[in-house]
Amino acid sequence: MPIRLGINGFGRIGRMVLRASQDNPDIEVVAVNDPFIAADYMVYQFKYDSTQGTFPGEVSTDEKDLIIKKEGQKENRIRVFRLRNPGEIAWNEVEVDYVAECTGIFTNVDQAQVHLDKVKRVCISAPSKTAPMFVMGVNHETWQPSMKIFSNASCTTNCLAPVAKVLNDNFTLVGGIMTTIHASTATQNVVDGPSKKWRSGRGAMQNIIPASTGAAIAVGKVLPALNGKLTGMAFRVPVPDGSVVDLTVQLEKETTYEEIKQTMKAAAEGPMRGILGYTEDLIVSQDIVGDTRSSIFDAQAGIQLTGRFFKVICWYDNEWGYSNRLLDLLMHVGKADGLIQ
């Protein structure tokens, strides 16, 4: 039996999670809640996507349910709720097992726990200050059944952490500074407008905008051995999707960039297959849009200064890769709970 999943919040990640679930036999989305989107508008937003393309199937609604039929698959009927208070969502009416909390608002345990009256577990699709965070391929095996609420961390942490783990496991990471050159997101303004963060209020399509990020520091939470060894910042750039991590590191063990490349390739083809990728092609950001992996190591872009000082470059689809990892994390938990055989 597949995990019966509810999605709270039908924004970018909520819609991508639903899309990704359509090709995943172990996940069945049975309910969606968003107080700001009517069912007919959900159909439109799900079917037509300026970044990921038109959904390859039929999408409709009878006002009660969202109805999705992908070629070669059975019809998927998804109950639509439109409630502002997540504690009022009747997840139990459609026997939801887990909730993907994708609003970006209820990111802490005390906020997300309102779902637990009606479901078994909640996965938050954002970093959390109070819920344990997990990155597939890095620390997912430390998840415990007592953890009812947990976080899939951020898209950038999901890109950075696998690479940092490989470097640390093989060469011992002394310290590092990360910059993510990150695609624009819905939190930004199309043209200049008011914002609590002054620079973030400037037009997203006109500017390269310096911004803060906790992604590097969060690596220390999923990899305690690196706690205090990484920090970083972001630049928001005028592309709709497709981002890249620029990581400059000092290593304890002397090595060469060629050896780092081979180590990354071995990890990508071995224990981190499907999570970490490796390429020697001369790719750009658009080339990784639609890639399901968390992090794609760019062998041609990295550089070496000394035997212990390196820059490594890794690409990621900050929407699609992240949404697929969220489902992978739910499947990992579902197997432990006996929902997936």
Side-chain angles (χ1 to χ4, degrees):
M1 292 291 290
I3 295 168
R4 295 176 65 83
L5 182 65
I7 299 174
N8 190 35
F10 206 53
R12 293 302 304 163
I13 298 302
R15 294 198 296 277
M16 292 304 105
V17 168
L18 178 55
R19 276 197 177 214
S21 74
Q22 298 305 298
D23 293 316
N24 191 324
D26 291 320
I27 304 284
E28 181 181 3
V29 176
V30 296
V32 170
N33 179 70
D34 196 304
F36 307 108
I37 307 176
D40 58 346
Y41 194 31
M42 285 186 179
V43 169
Y44 176 76
Q45 287 208 308
F46 182 76
K47 183 173 183 177
Y48 298 107
D49 193 281
S50 301
T51 301
Q52 301 293 343
T54 302
F55 179 75
E58 300 174 10
V59 190
S60 60
T61 183
D62 60 7
E63 295 304 323
K64 182 180 179 181
D65 293 337
L66 191 63
I67 305 164
I68 300 174
K69 179 68 170 70
K70 195 169 183 179
E71 187 175 349
Q73 298 181 7
K74 69 175 185 176
E75 180 180 275
N76 186 9
R77 298 186 72 92
I78 301 163
R79 182 68 50 83
V80 173
F81 298 105
R82 298 188 63 200
L83 297 164
R84 293 180 69 105
N85 181 354
E88 296 176 357
I89 306 168
W91 300 120
N92 52 324
E93 286 187 3
V94 284
E95 300 178 321
V96 169
D97 295 313
Y98 303 157
V99 164
E101 176 46 67
C102 298
T103 62
I105 299 170
F106 307 107
T107 59
N108 292 322
V109 169
D110 59 346
Q111 298 169 316
Q113 67 184 1
V114 294
H115 295 296
L116 291 179
D117 290 339
K118 302 180 182 76
V119 303
K120 298 181 180 75
R121 303 191 188 278
V122 179
C123 181
I124 300 168
S125 72
S128 176
K129 293 180 180 179
T130 55
M133 292 193 291
F134 298 95
V135 171
M136 291 300 297
V138 176
N139 74 325
H140 67 280
E141 292 182 352
T142 65
W143 177 87
Q144 298 293 326
S146 60
M147 299 173 180
K148 302 291 185 183
I149 300 171
F150 47 92
S151 162
N152 193 49
S154 73
C155 55
T156 303
T157 301
N158 270 265
C159 177
L160 174 60
V163 176
K165 176 175 169 55
V166 172
L167 289 173
N168 191 60
D169 286 351
N170 291 276
F171 308 106
T172 308
L173 197 152
V174 176
I177 295 177
M178 176 214 74
T179 301
T180 174
I181 298 89
H182 198 290
S184 301
T185 68
T187 62
Q188 294 178 257
N189 294 329
V190 177
V191 296
D192 287 7
S195 173
K196 291 181 180 178
K197 298 179 180 179
W198 289 12
R199 283 205 269 209
S200 295
R202 302 296 296 276
M205 293 297 105
Q206 300 163 279
N207 297 291
I208 298 170
I209 303 175
S212 61
T213 176
I217 294 172
V219 171
K221 293 186 177 181
V222 299
L223 271 176
L226 296 184
N227 192 29
K229 294 184 178 182
L230 292 171
T231 190
M233 65 170 295
F235 285 101
R236 295 292 182 92
V237 296
V239 296
D241 188 27
S243 302
V244 61
V245 159
D246 171 329
L247 176 64
T248 301
V249 294
Q250 181 181 358
L251 304 175
E252 182 176 296
K253 178 184 175 183
E254 189 161 321
T255 185
T256 64
Y257 185 65
E258 184 61 35
E259 186 177 2
I260 288 176
K261 284 166 53 178
Q262 294 309 310
T263 302
M264 290 293 174
K265 186 176 182 180
E269 294 175 351
M272 287 193 177
R273 186 178 183 86
I275 295 169
L276 177 65
Y278 177 93
T279 185
E280 295 187 357
D281 293 343
L282 298 173
I283 63 171
V284 295
S285 61
Q286 188 62 31
D287 300 324
I288 53 89
V289 172
D291 198 305
T292 61
R293 294 168 294 184
S294 300
S295 185
I296 300 95
F297 178 84
D298 189 328
Q300 298 278 25
I303 53 177
Q304 174 179 354
L305 180 62
T306 70
R308 294 187 174 88
F309 199 54
F310 298 86
K311 180 186 290 291
V312 296
I313 303 296
C314 300
W315 300 91
Y316 60 116
D317 183 325
N318 45 279
E319 297 179 341
W320 191 240
Y322 180 81
S323 298
N324 277 272
R325 286 301 80 68
L326 186 145
L327 293 183
D328 287 348
L329 179 57
L330 288 173
M331 289 163 56
H332 174 70
V333 173
K335 289 175 183 177
D337 280 343
L339 298 177
I340 301 174
Q341 300 303 317

